[in-house]
Amino acid sequence: MRRLLSSRKAGIIIAVLGLAMIGYGLYRGEAAVVFTKAARICLECIGIG
């Protein structure tokens, strides 16, 4: 039982940290950079860009 609680606690901590990092990236405007690069890569694969 104790092991289940500690692993659940670790999972929650990791999830909260992940959400915090995503929020910080959005705050810095990194989402726009990622989407721009993704669109460029997709267009290059198709042969348009």
Side-chain angles (χ1 to χ4, degrees):
M1 181 73 176
R2 189 170 183 90
R3 183 177 169 150
L4 178 65
L5 276 177
S6 68
S7 68
R8 182 175 291 173
K9 205 181 283 189
I12 291 171
I13 290 170
I14 291 171
V16 168
L17 286 174
L19 288 172
M21 287 184 227
I22 290 171
Y24 181 64
L26 290 172
Y27 171 74
R28 290 189 47 190
E30 297 291 331
V33 174
V34 170
F35 286 132
T36 302
K37 289 180 181 182
R40 186 173 299 133
I41 289 171
C42 286
L43 291 174
E44 286 178 5
C45 287
I46 295 171
I48 297 174

